[in-house]
Amino acid sequence: MLKYVTYMRVSTAEQGRSGLGLDAQQRDIDLFLQNYSDVPYEVVSAFVDVESGADNERPELKKAIELAKRESAELLVSKLDRLSRRVSFIAALMDDKKLQLRVASMPNADKFQLHIYAALAEQERDFISLRTKAALAAAKARGQKLGGLRDKTMKRNEVVKANAQRKAEQIAGIVVPLKEAGKSLRGIAGELDKAGVQTARGGKWSAAQVKRVLERLAT
């Protein structure tokens, strides 16, 4: 029988307490098991870490890896960045001959393809960081104040963004299946309205809002 050890990670203690992000990861894992896994299969155990993706010393991940090796099971994660955001760490896992790795969101990807994806994702993050620093430096050179009201605005924007992400994950079970069934953005908006689901601000849904929800769920 094919065996799996599942692993999920959220980035902060707050996410760990609220379950933010865990439902989406579990949904991806369940979709993989239902649609791509050979049968019969057994989920031997599930592990969850509440740590930063930049921190490779994660106790639950270590336990998951050890159990997967001991049981000759595949280590199953929803997305590659749930393991780590560092390509060197992911590469080390892939080089381990005793460990079998599977990524739910890329069910047919082999180790080489996963390595390339990890490398490209790391490059993109590095570029975004450089771009942000350059934009801040340019603003400072123009004499633009970067503190004070700007800090308050940033905090407010972070709260708005967090609320929008939370709302997106709450309705993922409705929006994602409709999208996969071929429904248009406008059609999905109509179904949400029919079901009595309101937007984060309590209004009606538009195609643009549905698009933003899908984009948030894809990150």
Side-chain angles (χ1 to χ4, degrees):
M1 179 183 291
L2 185 58
K3 297 180 181 179
Y4 294 101
V5 172
T6 66
Y7 174 76
M8 297 184 289
R9 177 182 62 79
V10 285
S11 298
T12 66
E14 179 182 357
Q15 286 179 317
R17 288 192 299 269
S18 68
L20 182 62
L22 291 178
D23 287 345
Q25 291 178 57
Q26 187 63 58
R27 183 193 66 235
D28 289 350
I29 288 172
D30 290 341
L31 285 172
F32 170 84
L33 292 173
Q34 294 164 12
N35 296 278
Y36 294 96
S37 175
D38 291 339
V39 292
Y41 67 82
E42 175 189 4
V43 176
V44 178
S45 189
F47 296 85
V48 178
D49 264 319
V50 183
E51 300 285 347
S52 167
D55 182 4
N56 293 329
E57 296 300 323
R58 299 198 292 277
E60 294 304 303
L61 176 57
K62 184 177 180 181
K63 293 176 186 177
I65 292 172
E66 290 174 350
L67 181 60
K69 290 181 180 179
R70 190 163 62 247
E71 294 288 335
S72 297
E74 294 190 2
L75 179 63
L76 176 61
V77 296
S78 63
K79 293 184 179 181
L80 199 56
D81 65 4
R82 296 303 86 192
L83 288 174
S84 177
R85 293 193 178 97
R86 296 179 182 176
V87 66
S88 58
F89 182 80
I90 293 174
L93 291 181
M94 292 181 182
D95 287 339
D96 190 332
K97 303 300 183 182
K98 296 181 180 179
L99 180 66
Q100 301 178 71
L101 177 63
R102 182 76 65 169
V103 180
S105 59
M106 293 183 284
N108 298 316
D110 57 26
K111 284 190 174 184
F112 177 75
Q113 291 170 321
L114 292 176
H115 192 125
I116 294 297
Y117 177 84
L120 292 173
E122 185 175 81
Q123 287 184 21
E124 182 181 27
R125 285 191 296 272
D126 289 344
F127 183 81
I128 290 172
S129 176
L130 289 173
R131 185 175 62 192
T132 301
K133 291 176 181 178
L136 290 172
K140 186 175 181 180
R142 293 194 300 269
Q144 182 177 340
K145 288 186 177 182
L146 300 180
L149 291 176
R150 180 178 177 276
D151 289 339
K152 294 180 181 179
T153 300
M154 288 182 66
K155 290 178 181 178
R156 184 169 62 250
N157 289 343
E158 288 174 0
V159 172
V160 171
K161 184 177 179 181
N163 288 337
Q165 183 67 32
R166 188 177 299 110
K167 182 68 175 181
E169 296 192 359
Q170 287 175 347
I171 62 173
I174 301 174
V175 174
V176 173
L178 288 173
K179 180 62 177 176
E180 292 176 346
K183 275 277 188 180
S184 67
L185 296 176
R186 183 175 297 176
I188 295 173
E191 292 296 331
L192 288 170
D193 288 337
K194 287 180 184 177
V197 179
Q198 296 183 330
T199 65
R201 295 185 178 182
K204 297 289 187 179
W205 288 90
S206 68
Q209 288 170 314
V210 173
K211 181 180 179 182
R212 286 195 291 270
V213 166
L214 291 169
E215 288 172 346
R216 290 187 180 101
L217 292 173
T219 59

